Amino acid sequence: MMVCTSSTVAENGRNLLRENQCPSSTPPTERPTSKSKEEVNKIVEVSKAAQKSWAKTPLWKRAELLHKAAAILKEHKVPIAKCLVNEIAKPAKDAVVRSGDLVSYCAEEGVRILGEGKFLVSDSFPGNERTKYCLSSKIPLGVVLAIPPFNYPVNLAVSKIAPALIAGNSLVLKPPTQGAVAALHMVHCFHLAGFPKGLISCVTGKGSEIGDFLTMHPGVNCISFTGGDTGIAISKKAGMIPLQMELGGKDACIILEDADLDLAVISILKGGFAYSGQRCTAVKVVLVMESVADTIVEKVNAKVAKLTVGPPEDDCDITPVVTESSANFIEGLVMDAKQKGATLCQEYKREGNLIWPLLLDKVRPDMRIAWEEPFGPVVPVIRIKSVEEGIHHCNASNFGLQGCVFTKDINKAILISDAMETGTVQINSAPARGPDHFPFQGVKESGIGSQGITNSINMMTKIKSTVINLPTPSYTMG
Ligand code: G3H
């Protein structure tokens, strides 16, 4: 197995950590490095052993350590954000590390929901006497494999790590190749908090090299993945373990005639172009009623013209997309739409991986961009004649992550929300994951399982019952 790329990442990671004055006192055994298959086996073995004693650690102690990690993460916010700027070209304004709050909330929520069990008596079911008492509680799954995406290598890693740990699981983290340095810095914060050795491990490397080996590893008891359609392949291969999959999206923004148009415009701008459109919850298609389409397009264009384009270090609004192949893919979608007659509201411009923001008007269903996810700063607009047409387009998508609707009529909004086949519908706001304790889920090719702090804790546990059998009445009487 080739591990050179991942070594480089890990090596660069250490250099960057030093540069950012992250304490380098992590013992070598806990310092994440790239791993061969043999090393992966070893990590899973160590992780399994660490989990056994972690599961016996009292819940309040687990919570205490998580609170400690939360405080350290908050202290390290700035250098971690700097990593995000350097590594994944996130503009400083978008490089918000909200992980500390997420960890604290998770510790508090975990104490509440895991501190409670159920008590059932048998005579509530027909044919039974009151001779059986059932005690059930939630117990950990074992080793959780967490695979976060490049666009949120820290926050989305922590959204998997914290629920796993509070529930008594151990954690193997496979950070994205781009974003590994920031993720390693975050893991270092957990190590500084004093979590037991081997409880949180990192495996760096290209998904194409170690992905299958890790995700099909018999020692892994749960996978929480966020990313692209690789998640579909993982789901097919993973076997009988709980899966949490957050995959792509084609989040639609439906704008009715009675909408607050300025609010819709700001939401399209923020929702479509923040972090250059590289968010699973980005606005990926605008479905606007014909009668207000000209106004919407004109107002969005005026704002697009003001977006700054350039390097993340200058805190530009639009920065280079993550890889050359991503940029090529986005260009392919634009060229296809252009060739088929879409109106390019701005001149298409690209320098390397940097693509200038672009609104494409009069997109039609025969164009790829009507259905495919650009993951870049290009937003298609489809003009619709009826709300039903908008809902139909949204539901014809293979994806179903989020959607949004803009209208002042709350009754209509609720009816449209009910009709949209997506995990979440936002009324009068762009799609978004947060706040992090809200349920977050996709349907169809957008994923399986629900996230959000409570749902993740529940998903990373299983129910264990103990039944106390009392002597039967006939036996006692006899
Ligand atoms: O990219 C996927 C993330 O879950 C989106 O999170 O809505 O906070 O940007 P966000």
Side-chain angles (χ1 to χ4, degrees):
M1 187 180 62
M2 294 283 290
V3 289
C4 52
T5 311
S6 38
S7 305
T8 313
V9 168
E11 191 52 44
N12 288 344
R14 281 194 288 274
N15 291 342
L16 216 83
L17 295 185
R18 269 201 297 276
E19 187 185 293
N20 287 320
Q21 297 177 326
C22 174
S24 55
S25 55
T26 320
T29 46
E30 294 196 359
R31 198 170 275 172
T33 56
S34 61
K35 301 293 167 190
S36 66
K37 285 182 183 176
E38 235 171 78
E39 287 168 315
V40 169
N41 285 337
K42 182 78 190 149
I43 276 189
V44 175
E45 199 182 299
V46 168
S47 190
K48 236 179 174 44
Q51 191 270 330
K52 296 265 182 266
S53 47
W54 180 242
K56 292 188 187 117
T57 305
L59 186 51
W60 67 266
K61 269 197 178 174
R62 287 188 232 150
E64 207 172 73
L65 270 178
L66 280 167
H67 281 301
K68 217 169 151 192
I72 297 171
L73 272 167
K74 285 177 188 171
E75 281 166 22
H76 286 239
K77 247 175 158 162
V78 174
I80 294 177
K82 203 170 150 194
C83 288
L84 295 175
V85 174
N86 292 336
E87 226 190 334
I88 55 164
K90 202 163 248 201
K93 57 176 155 269
D94 294 332
V96 181
V97 180
R98 58 187 195 236
S99 306
D101 292 328
L102 198 159
V103 175
S104 311
Y105 194 102
C106 203
E108 286 164 21
E109 187 69 353
V111 165
R112 282 186 214 112
I113 63 177
L114 300 169
E116 257 184 18
K118 256 192 174 179
F119 170 58
L120 288 95
V121 288
S122 51
D123 65 346
S124 53
F125 198 88
N128 283 270
E129 302 293 328
R130 199 180 180 88
T131 53
K132 290 172 187 286
Y133 294 163
C134 176
L135 303 171
S136 68
S137 63
K138 288 173 182 149
I139 61 166
L141 296 173
V143 176
V144 173
L145 172 61
I147 310 180
F150 82 85
N151 59 348
Y152 286 94
V154 176
N155 285 337
L156 289 190
V158 167
S159 74
K160 302 169 191 312
I161 295 173
L165 292 178
I166 192 67
N169 299 290
S170 59
L171 211 287
V172 175
L173 176 73
K174 158 70 185 78
T177 306
Q178 281 102 334
V181 176
L184 298 185
H185 194 142
M186 172 273 296
V187 169
H188 184 69
C189 294
F190 277 88
H191 287 158
L192 288 176
F195 281 89
K197 198 174 159 188
L199 193 69
I200 310 165
S201 313
C202 252
V203 179
T204 61
K206 286 202 165 172
S208 53
E209 289 166 11
I210 55 168
D212 275 359
F213 189 72
L214 253 180
T215 53
M216 293 166 75
H217 200 288
V220 167
N221 306 109
C222 168
I223 302 174
S224 178
F225 172 93
T226 305
D229 52 13
T230 310
I232 297 174
I234 294 176
S235 306
K236 286 181 182 155
K237 292 178 196 164
M240 278 196 1
I241 58 171
L243 300 176
Q244 192 177 48
M245 296 277 156
E246 178 194 346
L247 312 181
K250 186 72 185 169
D251 295 13
C253 172
I254 301 182
I255 304 171
L256 306 197
E257 282 144 335
D258 69 345
D260 176 339
L261 298 186
D262 288 322
L263 179 65
V265 166
I266 292 167
S267 304
I268 293 169
L269 198 84
K270 196 164 171 273
F273 296 101
Y275 188 35
S276 307
Q278 298 176 108
R279 295 165 55 238
C280 58
T281 49
V283 168
K284 298 202 179 106
V285 58
V286 175
L287 302 161
V288 58
M289 289 294 286
E290 185 68 67
S291 58
V292 290
D294 283 344
T295 314
I296 287 285
V297 168
E298 193 184 311
K299 285 177 179 252
V300 174
N301 280 338
K303 294 211 178 288
V304 167
K306 290 188 185 143
L307 293 174
T308 53
V309 182
E313 294 79 12
D314 295 350
D315 209 13
C316 290
D317 299 309
I318 303 295
T319 54
V321 296
V322 68
T323 58
E324 194 189 344
S325 64
S326 303
N328 293 343
F329 178 76
I330 297 162
E331 183 166 301
L333 292 181
V334 172
M335 291 310 142
D336 172 77
K338 186 179 175 189
Q339 201 190 354
K340 290 175 182 160
T343 306
L344 272 53
C345 299
Q346 293 75 26
E347 182 199 350
Y348 174 72
K349 197 171 161 197
R350 171 181 171 185
E351 272 173 23
N353 293 355
L354 187 60
I355 293 179
W356 269 249
L358 178 63
L359 194 72
L360 294 111
D361 191 12
K362 298 185 181 157
V363 166
R364 289 189 324 262
D366 62 322
M367 301 171 187
R368 285 175 55 205
I369 201 161
W371 306 105
E372 295 179 42
E373 184 184 23
F375 233 67
V378 299
V379 177
V381 175
I382 299 182
R383 294 169 176 238
I384 52 172
K385 292 188 179 57
S386 66
V387 176
E388 288 70 27
E389 189 185 337
I391 294 169
H392 176 79
H393 185 92
C394 167
N395 292 351
S397 169
N398 290 340
F399 294 112
L401 188 59
Q402 291 208 357
C404 61
V405 54
F406 286 85
T407 171
K408 288 184 188 136
D409 184 335
I410 189 65
N411 297 327
K412 268 192 206 162
I414 301 281
L415 289 173
I416 293 168
S417 168
D418 282 350
M420 285 170 82
E421 293 166 6
T422 58
T424 303
V425 174
Q426 305 271 350
I427 296 173
N428 293 327
S429 181
R433 175 194 186 87
D436 290 306
H437 67 307
F438 279 14
F440 182 65
Q441 55 282 314
V443 297
K444 298 190 269 184
E445 290 184 11
S446 287
I448 49 172
S450 182
Q451 299 178 66
I453 290 172
T454 312
N455 288 342
S456 292
I457 295 173
N458 284 329
M459 182 266 173
M460 291 174 184
T461 58
K462 56 190 170 192
I463 305 286
K464 172 71 188 273
S465 296
T466 301
V467 180
I468 303 165
N469 290 275
L470 302 178
T472 60
S474 57
Y475 176 78
T476 47
M477 275 174 354

